[in-house]
Amino acid sequence: MAETLRVCALYPDLMNIYADRGNLLLLQRRCAWRGIGFELTASGLGEPLDGDGADLFYIGGGQDRDQRLCAFDLAEVKREGLHAAAERGAAVLAVCGGYQLLGRSYELGDETLPGVGLVDLHTVRSDAPRLIGNIAIEVNLGERAGGVRVLAGFENHGGRTHLGPAAQPLGRVLKGHGNNGEDGFEGIRQRNVIGTYMHGPLLPKNAWLADWLIATALGRDAPLPPLDDAFEAAAHVEARRAAGA
Amino acid sequence: MTGLGPKIAAARAVGTVARVAGRGGGTSLPGKVLMRLEPHAIRDLARRLPQGSIAISATNGKTTSAAMVAAVLERRGTRLVHNRAGANMAGGIASTLLGAARGSGIAGELGLFEIDEFWLGQLTDELEPQALLLGNLFRDQLDRYGELETIADRWAEIVAARGERTQLVLNADDPLIADLGRTQPRVTYFGVEDDTMAMPEMQHASDSKHCRRCGHAYAYDAVYMGHLGRYRCPNCGQRRPQPDVVAEHVELLGTRGARFQLRVTGGPQAGTATVELPLPGLYNVYNALGAAALCLALGVPLAEVVAGLEHVAAAFGRAETIDLGDRSLSILLIKNPAGANEVLRTVALESGEIDLLAVLNDNIADGRDVSWVWDADFEILAGRVRRVTCAGTRAAELALRLKYAGVDAARIAVVPDLRAALDVARDDGDGTLYAMPTYTALLALRDLLSSRGLAPEYWR
């Protein structure tokens, strides 16, 4: 099996506030344990994105100032590459601050950050308290992911995200706030593009999603061979318990 | 100030009731009650101190830096009013002052207060400190404190509001801290100058890598820990200020201690001296440097600063060693990536394989969000662990982190209950057992050891 998962992390120096490297580490180790190669590249400010250069594109969360820098770069320098990648079926995972940049725009009071326009959503910074806490949601990524499953993690966001009428949320909130604290939905999913407010980081607590992303990015139809996931399963249970789900 | 007396009496009565009800010592409850009755009680009581107050804040090292300052000043006979137990928000500081109040006076000459980063503005307004030591700012409990830049902006306003009235003591090696002194009239800087302490590359959890002035990435001539080091901005020319109080020729002596040359440039206290610090790790060298710079700024002679530092005892749970009978337990608090990295680096200085009891809780005082363990460099432990027992409300998350850090899963045990975990860890192996608890886990460990008669007297 000489296959290699090629992952490209966008702005890894700036968009990494909630331990985003934990997500990348899960992908790396779970590939290695299965004999799948793993190649990690980075795309920083000012660097155009090669849409064919990776199978999975990752963008994490950042501080306000850094997120602002990345928003303009994403919209001006990387738009074409990221759209091309999504269109050919590459996987995209955007978490928290990165998720907010996937859509049309992010309104921050007197300023509006551009989105990269990959999905139909917009976000508005609220003066109300930030939405903070443990969260669990119910998702269905299809049969290959095992049907209806739960994702558990942590959310911490001031923005309220609203999906367009045709957009599909990632899941339904079991416990927590989700996109906007009102409509009971969390995240977005459009084919192989996933955006979510869930960090914690997300993949260690939900190893099944890491495996789904690896399989999807590699274009596999069958699930990956199982691993000894005793600690992974226990951490998932703990995270669900913390959320009260 | 009319009427403070009866309010003090009422607040003390609440404290007595709380103690009788088994709420334990060090509670901030009486202080909170006093603040309810008299919102400016801290100001009124602090003004009774004939030498005023000094204050310390930082993400990491507040409690230890304050213990070091206390060790120096108390050896000289200064009577301190000090929130020694680490209750560092308004209620805790009010409780400390309340405990020292005597009639219309106060039992102490100088106030020494460590202050929570978030409460610094409100408490400097009340305490009006004559000197303020600011040690570092690291990523910590984002669910509670918010972003680092936001805290730095708030601190800049606090420092500007103090102006001439407060002597600032700032860490030159932390760009976020050093920047606070750029336009201030009274600043002493401290820093490390030792290339042997530099790391080959920046740690993952480094926070402030970009210039506070222009946003360009800093260039580092040396990185000592996190984003601390010798830096400059290639774009706008902003650079690390030249420190007045310097640590050089640093030697890290495992988990036992550290040795360094303390050099003071300029002024009547100029000179050098060797410090044999009984606390380990480069992070404690930084704590000692800050404490030394603060004491020197207060006019303490260099020799007395060194003598005090050499007699400091570990603060509660900060590299403290407890005798368990058949083996010893060395307790090192971990609470955020930067602090945990320094603890991990220090433990890794020991030779051979290491036995660990790692405890991760997600209570409010720990931060509900445990994602920070994925930012800390547990990779340092890969290949170094003989046995690690993971405990706490998020024991499995920590076990998972260690597994992905490269620790052999067969060497990792998950025992969420702390009591059972301590027994399992103690009974497997000999020599030193290293405990790495988060904050509420540290408190629970203290209670557990106390109940077994193993805790030092001052804990009770």
Side-chain angles (χ1 to χ4, degrees):
Chain A
M1 201 173 353
E3 217 172 359
T4 292
L5 179 73
R6 299 170 306 154
V7 176
C8 177
L10 277 62
Y11 319 108
D13 290 342
L14 297 172
M15 302 292 273
N16 67 6
I17 195 168
Y18 294 117
D20 291 283
R21 91 165 151 175
N23 287 328
L24 298 171
L25 188 57
L26 259 278
L27 296 170
Q28 178 184 4
R29 296 270 185 204
R30 297 181 76 78
C31 282
W33 288 331
R34 293 180 170 112
I36 300 171
F38 182 86
E39 191 184 287
L40 179 64
T41 54
S43 182
L45 289 177
E47 296 169 5
L49 196 68
D50 175 6
D52 291 322
D55 312 303
L56 194 163
F57 294 83
Y58 181 81
I59 176 165
Q63 299 203 58
D64 286 350
R65 197 168 76 166
D66 297 333
Q67 186 189 20
R68 186 178 175 281
L69 288 173
C70 295
F72 287 101
D73 186 80
L74 197 59
E76 288 159 17
V77 184
K78 296 186 179 46
R79 176 187 291 268
E80 231 172 281
L82 197 60
H83 276 263
E87 272 157 34
R88 69 174 176 80
V92 177
L93 176 62
V95 174
C96 206
Y99 168 43
Q100 291 171 331
L101 302 182
L102 275 194
R104 283 181 274 130
S105 60
Y106 184 14
E107 291 169 36
L108 293 158
D110 44 6
E111 188 184 23
T112 298
L113 300 182
V116 73
L118 210 55
V119 292
D120 184 15
L121 62 81
H122 76 282
T123 301
V124 181
R125 169 64 61 87
S126 168
D127 292 333
R130 293 176 71 86
L131 303 178
I132 304 177
N134 288 289
I135 174 171
I137 69 173
E138 188 178 81
V139 303
N140 187 351
L141 296 182
E143 240 167 79
R144 193 162 44 81
V148 175
R149 305 201 62 157
V150 171
L151 289 174
F154 200 91
E155 61 182 325
N156 183 349
H157 51 105
R160 289 355 184 220
T161 294
H162 301 275
L163 306 192
Q168 291 290 318
L170 173 62
R172 185 173 66 81
V173 175
L174 298 173
K175 292 281 180 180
H177 304 287
N179 281 339
N180 47 52
E182 287 168 8
D183 64 19
F185 292 113
E186 206 290 317
I188 195 165
R189 182 194 173 198
Q190 183 175 297
R191 203 174 158 207
N192 297 337
V193 176
I194 287 180
T196 176
Y197 273 119
M198 297 175 70
H199 68 262
L202 177 66
L203 299 184
K205 292 169 187 57
N206 305 282
W208 69 266
L209 181 62
D211 288 352
W212 181 85
L213 283 167
I214 295 167
T216 300
L218 292 175
R220 291 198 182 187
D221 292 326
L224 300 173
L227 299 169
D228 176 356
D229 280 340
F231 290 155
E232 286 82 350
H236 177 76
V237 169
E238 264 180 11
R240 279 175 76 158
R241 192 190 309 130
Chain B
M1 207 182 289
T2 49
L4 192 58
K7 291 169 185 170
I8 287 174
R12 278 190 177 143
V14 170
T16 306
V17 170
R19 262 193 306 281
V20 171
R23 297 283 295 269
T27 175
S28 55
L29 186 62
K32 285 181 185 162
V33 171
L34 180 63
M35 301 269 294
R36 184 76 57 82
L37 297 171
E38 173 49 62
H40 290 295
I42 290 176
R43 172 173 306 187
D44 293 344
L45 289 171
R47 282 182 176 169
R48 296 179 179 184
L49 292 160
Q51 296 178 27
S53 292
I54 52 182
I56 297 175
S57 196
T59 308
N60 290 330
K62 294 183 282 288
T63 306
T64 298
S65 298
M68 288 169 166
V69 172
V72 172
L73 297 180
E74 285 179 338
R75 277 177 70 83
R76 313 179 78 219
T78 306
R79 290 182 305 130
L80 298 174
V81 175
H82 173 195
N83 56 338
R84 203 172 297 268
N88 58 17
M89 304 183 204
I93 286 167
S95 287
T96 299
L97 285 160
L98 175 64
R102 301 284 184 276
S104 61
I106 194 157
E109 297 158 323
L110 178 68
L112 168 60
F113 299 106
E114 66 154 281
I115 300 180
D116 180 271
E117 309 79 292
F118 209 69
W119 285 84
L120 188 65
Q122 190 176 335
L123 286 168
T124 52
D125 283 351
E126 294 290 307
L127 291 167
E128 304 176 308
Q130 55 152 312
L132 175 60
L133 163 59
L134 299 176
N136 53 65
L137 274 176
F138 292 110
R139 187 185 304 198
D140 185 30
Q141 296 189 23
L142 292 155
D143 55 321
R144 186 173 143 233
Y145 291 110
E147 298 181 348
L148 205 57
E149 296 276 347
T150 315
I151 297 182
D153 290 346
R154 196 181 301 134
W155 278 20
E157 289 170 21
I158 293 164
V159 162
R162 295 304 305 162
E164 285 277 355
R165 294 173 297 168
T166 295
Q167 168 72 46
L168 294 177
V169 180
L170 303 178
N171 188 344
D173 295 352
D174 184 338
L176 282 174
I177 297 294
D179 199 59
L180 297 169
R182 302 279 179 204
T183 58
Q184 292 304 308
R186 297 172 61 202
V187 186
T188 293
Y189 284 106
F190 61 93
V192 170
E193 294 193 348
D194 186 338
D195 284 341
T196 66
M197 289 294 116
M199 293 186 296
E201 58 183 321
M202 194 161 240
Q203 286 161 304
H204 170 77
S206 300
D207 292 301
S208 183
K209 289 169 287 200
H210 295 86
C211 180
R212 281 279 287 168
R213 293 296 153 112
C214 71
H216 196 281
Y218 287 122
Y220 278 80
D221 296 323
V223 178
Y224 296 126
M225 55 188 259
H227 59 273
L228 272 52
R230 298 207 312 274
Y231 54 87
R232 62 201 149 73
C233 175
N235 185 48
C236 74
Q238 189 76 271
R239 52 174 51 239
R240 165 184 181 259
Q242 196 55 45
D244 313 287
V245 180
V246 173
E248 49 195 10
H249 306 299
V250 179
E251 291 172 71
L252 301 179
L253 312 170
T255 54
R256 287 180 295 118
R259 182 184 299 130
F260 64 95
Q261 192 86 17
L262 179 63
R263 177 164 56 82
V264 183
T265 55
Q269 292 145 303
T272 58
T274 301
V275 179
E276 301 275 349
L277 190 68
L279 299 181
L282 187 61
Y283 64 109
N284 277 316
V285 172
Y286 268 108
N287 292 334
L289 261 186
L294 177 59
C295 291
L296 290 162
L298 295 174
V300 180
L302 180 58
E304 293 188 34
V305 170
V306 173
L309 292 177
E310 294 190 337
H311 287 87
V312 70
F316 170 55
R318 276 75 168 185
E320 190 178 27
T321 300
I322 309 288
D323 185 2
L324 293 183
D326 44 355
R327 64 192 305 192
S328 60
L329 179 70
S330 185
I331 307 175
L332 299 117
L333 171 72
I334 57 171
K335 56 179 187 176
N336 52 39
N341 282 348
E342 292 316 302
V343 164
L344 292 166
R345 266 170 96 185
T346 302
V347 169
L349 291 171
E350 294 295 319
S351 57
E353 292 193 317
I354 297 161
D355 283 348
L356 279 173
L357 171 63
V359 197
L360 177 62
N361 278 355
D362 66 351
N363 298 312
I364 288 168
D366 303 296
R368 302 299 315 274
D369 185 357
V370 295
S371 59
W372 66 270
V373 303
W374 294 88
D375 265 338
D377 292 330
F378 285 96
E379 280 74 7
I380 293 168
L381 295 176
R384 297 296 317 278
V385 172
R386 196 190 67 84
R387 187 78 181 150
V388 52
T389 309
C390 297
T393 53
R394 303 299 288 270
E397 180 91 15
L398 191 53
L400 193 64
R401 175 68 187 99
L402 289 164
K403 175 182 166 183
Y404 280 82
V407 175
D408 180 1
R411 294 172 182 240
I412 305 171
V414 178
V415 185
D417 178 67
L418 182 61
R419 182 177 298 268
L422 178 63
D423 290 339
V424 166
R426 188 199 52 209
D427 294 346
D428 181 2
D430 47 32
T432 304
L433 172 64
Y434 294 94
M436 295 182 182
T438 57
Y439 186 69
T440 67
L442 172 64
L443 301 182
L445 188 58
R446 176 192 64 182
D447 291 347
L448 179 57
L449 293 169
S450 287
S451 73
R452 294 180 178 184
L454 293 169
E457 198 56 42
Y458 76 93
W459 279 13
R460 291 167 206 160

